[in-house]
């Protein structure tokens, strides 16, 4: 009998197939004491296992490339964390086996993260994966990972670690569903990059029986268990129609009456450029430069290395617009040379622009590298600062850009409610705004973007969030300056129409979402988008806002 479940759709598309569950390693090794004379040998075993796992993660990253590479390299650094290794060796010295010491040391660190308000909950999944890989190697059991199958399937997991998501084979893994995670978790971002339909935050997903046939809709978040023949036919017809429309989609982003809305790509480095170009991106709306800095958390990359990486991206978009976000470190992206180690709540501490203003040499080097990279190129370079709170922040950043001799537009990200509320003030110092809806939702609702339990409050359809977007867009219009969206909200085709109706001037998203947004936007006039936006803002919840916008655009 067909039943319907609902999670959070995070990657477009429809998939129909049988359930396969993610394999796990033996999580808890036995607790037994070893003689003192074996401690040194066990410590050496632990070090070898750590190095092997770190090397494997780095190798997976090299294969995956792009944003996935940076995420996996960050995991490798987590495995090699000196404090964790020291704790493991201390536990072995007092009688633990290597595998038990690893298990207990990681459990202790996990508890510390949870006690810090779970801001790093998204990284807890990464930490668990690293632990399981090291323990599995020490015990000589299979690594956790995707199941072996000769037939395509839909993958079900409690959560997906980056190491698994990055190397999913789309010819076998038709889509995936997780019990945990959120719309801006690593798994969701990587799923969109792969173009694999995905649903997260689905309670009870793990209870779906192996081999059960399900259909998933990565746009609506719906999972149909044992779908009827009619449901299958309807989903397949919808998928075929969508595929045909996408293949016919090309050209600049615009409404049906010719109102232009440039569609840009979010990228993590040169490895993501090919997909952006193939999708018809009109430029880059968010170049996340922090991934370049994750290669070595102890020191910033040299000016030469940065210049080379930036130039690769700039050369790919001659005459196009490339918006670069300067280093956004801190919170869930700590860097040893930059991030305070003892903050009680890193989400509310020294991160983003605050870190850079505390380390002006790091900012100066990056801005100088960007200036060098753009020399002689016709590209329209724009540079923006993350975590701008007020006009003083915006001025400090603009001053730093000018001092570095950077010939580009200077902008500010709107990720903190204060920046949206006082957007006109911020625009007295900079030339454009870019709304980072992921963090803006997090700070507006006090809801960690990595915690599935509060995913309702991370929904970009929340009317309060739409109000802040409207305020920032209106400020841009009043000052004659642009105000784009580079958060994950832009990848939702229906919401893209609403954002356009709110006055947003450009939309930036993962490359795989661009054809969906282009096709949907071209169906409606600007006036229809404006009416849909007004209807959404007049509601009291995200679900009501989505339904109201859909009703307007469908003519109901």
């Amino acid at each position: 009998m067909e039943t319907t479940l609902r999670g959070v759709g995070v990657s477009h598309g429809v998939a129909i197939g049988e359930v396969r569950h993610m394999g796990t390693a033996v999580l808890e090794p036995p607790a037994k004491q070893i003689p003192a004379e074996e401690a040194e040998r066990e410590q050496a075993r632990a070090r070898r296992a750590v190095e092997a796992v770190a090397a494997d993660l780095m190798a997976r990253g090299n294969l995956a490339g792009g944003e996935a590479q940076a995420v996996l390299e960050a995991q490798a650094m987590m495995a090699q964390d000196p404090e964790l290794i020291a704790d493991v060796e201390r536990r072995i010295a007092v009688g633990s086996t290597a595998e038990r010491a690893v298990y207990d040391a990681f459990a202790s660190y996990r508890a510390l993260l949870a006690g810090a308000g779970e801001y790093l909950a998204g990284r807890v999944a990464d930490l668990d994966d690293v632990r399981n890989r090291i323990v599995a190697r020490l015990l000589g059991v299979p690594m956790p990972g995707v199941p072996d199958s000769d037939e395509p399937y839909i993958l079900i997991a409690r959560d997906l670690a980056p190491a698994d998501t990055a190397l999913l084979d789309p010819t076998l893994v038709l889509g995936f569903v997780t019990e945990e995670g959120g719309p801006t978790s690593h798994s969701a971002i990587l799923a969109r990059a792969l173009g694999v339909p995905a649903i997260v935050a689905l309670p009870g997903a793990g209870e779906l029986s192996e081999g059960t046939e399900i259909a998933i809709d990565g746009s609506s978040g719906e999972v149909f268990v044992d779908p009827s023949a009619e449901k299958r036919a309807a989903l397949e017809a919808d998928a075929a129609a969508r595929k045909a429309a996408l293949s016919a989609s090309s050209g600049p982003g615009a409404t049906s009456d010719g109102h232009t809305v440039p569609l840009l790509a979010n990228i993590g480095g040169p490895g993501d450029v090919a997909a952006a170009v193939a999708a018809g991106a009109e430029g880059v709306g968010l170049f996340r430069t922090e991934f370049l800095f994750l290669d070595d958390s102890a020191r910033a990359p040299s000016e030469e290395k940065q210049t080379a990486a930036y130039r690769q991206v700039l050369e790919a978009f001659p005459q196009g617009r490339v918006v670069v976000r300067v280093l956004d470190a801190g919170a869930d992206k700590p860097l040893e040379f930059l991030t305070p180690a003892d903050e009680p709540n890193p989400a509310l501490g020294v991160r983003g622009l605050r870190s850079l203003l505390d380390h002006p040499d790091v900012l100066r080097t990056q801005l100088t590298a960007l200036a060098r990279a753009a020399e002689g190129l016709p590209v329209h370079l724009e540079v923006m600062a993350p975590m701008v709170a007020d006009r003083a922040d915006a001025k400090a950043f603009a001053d730093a850009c000018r001092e570095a001799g950077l010939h580009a537009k200077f902008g500010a990200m709107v990720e903190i409610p204060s920046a949206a509320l006082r957007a006109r003030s911020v625009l007295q110092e900079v030339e454009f705004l870019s709304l980072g809806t992921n963090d803006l939702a997090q700070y507006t609702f006090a809801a960690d973007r990595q915690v599935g339990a509060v995913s309702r409050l991370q929904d970009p359809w929340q009317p309060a969030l739409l109000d802040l977007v409207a305020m920032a867009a209106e400020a841009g219009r009043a000052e004659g300056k642009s105000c784009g969206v580079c958060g994950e909200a832009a990848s939702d085709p229906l919401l893209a129409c609403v954002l356009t109706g709110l006055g947003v001037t450009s939309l930036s998203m993962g490359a795989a979402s661009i054809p969906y947004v282009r096709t949907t936007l071209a169906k409606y006039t600007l006036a229809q988008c404006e009416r849909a936006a007004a209807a959404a803002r007049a509601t009291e919840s995200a679900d009501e806002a989505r339904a109201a916008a859909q009703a307007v655009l469908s003519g109901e």
Side-chain angles (χ1 to χ4, degrees):
M1 179 177 173
E2 179 182 313
T3 57
T4 303
L5 308 174
R6 184 182 290 275
V8 178
V10 296
S11 185
H12 304 299
V14 170
I16 303 173
E18 292 187 356
V19 164
R20 295 286 183 273
H21 286 270
M22 172 69 74
T24 59
V26 176
L27 296 183
E28 185 169 0
K32 62 180 182 180
Q33 291 292 108
I34 60 169
E37 60 269 20
E38 293 183 15
E40 189 172 337
R41 178 177 63 84
E42 288 293 286
Q43 289 172 339
R45 282 184 66 225
R47 286 192 295 271
R48 286 196 299 271
V50 165
E51 291 304 317
V53 166
D56 177 62
L57 290 167
M58 292 291 284
R60 286 169 176 257
N62 290 333
L63 283 173
E67 291 188 26
Q69 181 173 4
V71 171
L72 294 176
E73 287 174 351
Q75 260 198 301
M77 290 191 295
M78 186 183 285
Q80 296 171 303
D81 183 277
E83 290 188 16
L84 267 173
I85 293 174
D87 190 16
V88 169
E89 294 189 342
R90 280 193 298 271
R91 294 173 186 273
I92 293 173
V94 295
S96 284
T97 62
E99 47 268 35
R100 186 71 203 192
V102 168
Y103 181 86
D104 290 339
F106 274 75
S108 177
Y109 188 49
R110 193 185 201 280
L112 285 175
L113 294 185
E118 289 198 69
Y119 182 79
L120 300 180
R123 304 294 79 76
V124 165
D126 298 1
L127 185 73
D128 289 346
D129 182 59
V130 171
R131 176 202 63 196
N132 289 351
R133 289 174 185 278
I134 297 172
V135 170
R137 183 170 289 276
L138 287 165
L139 290 174
V141 300
M143 290 284 179
V146 297
D148 290 327
S149 175
D150 294 329
E151 297 297 324
Y153 59 89
I154 295 176
L155 182 63
I156 308 293
R158 182 180 63 81
D159 202 353
L160 277 173
D164 297 312
T165 315
L167 296 182
L168 291 179
D169 181 353
T171 63
L172 285 177
V173 181
L174 302 173
F176 68 76
V177 180
T178 67
E179 289 194 50
E180 299 182 1
T184 58
S185 65
H186 278 153
S187 295
I189 291 171
L190 294 176
R192 284 189 285 271
L194 288 167
V196 175
I199 296 171
V200 301
L202 178 70
E207 298 172 14
L208 291 168
S209 300
E210 188 87 2
T212 300
E213 184 173 73
I214 64 172
I216 67 173
D217 186 333
S219 299
S220 68
E222 291 173 302
V223 175
F224 306 95
V225 183
D226 293 322
S228 65
E230 292 79 8
K231 175 60 71 175
R232 285 178 58 104
L235 288 170
E236 288 170 349
D238 180 61
R242 191 180 303 176
K243 184 175 180 180
L246 292 175
S247 63
S249 170
S250 62
T255 59
S256 63
D257 56 341
H259 174 73
T260 59
V261 187
L263 303 182
L264 312 170
N266 294 344
I267 68 170
D272 295 329
V273 166
V277 172
E282 298 169 59
V284 173
L286 174 61
F287 181 178
R288 300 182 176 100
T289 60
E290 60 269 18
F291 291 120
L292 184 63
F293 287 74
L294 291 174
D295 286 345
D296 184 352
S297 67
R299 63 184 63 82
S302 67
E303 183 179 316
E304 289 70 25
K305 181 176 180 180
Q306 291 188 56
T307 299
Y310 303 150
R311 194 168 180 91
Q312 273 187 270
V313 173
L314 297 178
E315 287 176 337
F317 294 95
Q319 307 295 333
R321 177 186 180 198
V322 175
V323 184
V324 178
R325 180 176 69 189
V326 294
L327 176 60
D328 184 16
D332 60 338
K333 294 171 284 190
L335 291 173
E336 187 179 327
F337 66 90
L338 199 69
T339 309
D342 56 353
E343 290 185 307
N345 190 339
L348 304 179
V350 182
R351 62 168 295 196
L353 179 62
R354 300 167 186 176
S355 293
L356 293 174
L357 293 179
D358 280 351
H359 297 80
D361 54 323
V362 175
L363 177 57
R364 188 182 308 110
T365 298
Q366 183 170 26
L367 294 174
T368 302
L370 284 165
R372 288 179 56 193
E375 286 177 0
L377 298 179
V379 68
H380 301 289
L381 175 63
E382 302 184 15
V383 182
M384 62 185 181
M387 301 302 294
V388 170
D390 55 18
R391 181 172 179 173
D393 278 352
K395 183 179 187 305
F397 178 65
D399 287 345
C401 289
R402 282 187 283 267
E403 289 169 10
L406 186 61
H407 299 293
K409 284 188 176 182
F410 317 141
M413 291 197 71
V414 177
E415 301 167 284
I416 302 174
S418 61
L421 293 167
R422 299 300 299 246
R424 288 197 70 170
S425 175
V426 171
L427 282 169
Q428 303 311 303
E429 304 295 341
V430 294
E431 298 170 84
F432 69 94
L433 299 177
S434 185
L435 288 144
T437 52
N438 307 346
D439 270 325
L440 186 57
Q442 172 173 255
Y443 291 119
T444 298
F445 298 103
D448 190 327
R449 54 186 282 193
Q450 302 290 351
V451 178
V454 292
S455 61
R456 176 181 73 84
L457 297 172
Q458 299 157 359
D459 193 325
W461 281 94
Q462 286 284 356
L465 188 68
L466 298 180
D467 288 344
L468 291 174
V469 172
M471 292 181 71
E474 174 55 35
R477 185 162 48 243
E479 295 296 328
K481 297 179 178 179
S482 64
C483 177
V485 168
C486 65
E488 294 301 318
S491 65
D492 178 337
L494 181 62
L495 185 50
C497 295
V498 167
L499 294 172
T500 298
L502 291 174
V504 165
T505 56
S506 65
L507 298 166
S508 190
M509 64 208 77
S513 298
I514 291 175
Y516 290 91
V517 173
R518 183 192 293 118
T519 301
T520 304
L521 195 61
K523 295 178 182 178
Y524 307 107
T525 66
L526 176 59
Q528 286 177 296
C529 293
E530 290 172 340
R531 289 197 295 273
R537 290 182 67 192
T539 64
E540 300 296 333
S541 73
D543 287 343
E544 290 177 6
R546 187 183 289 106
Q550 183 66 70
V552 169
L553 294 178
S554 61
E556 296 177 7

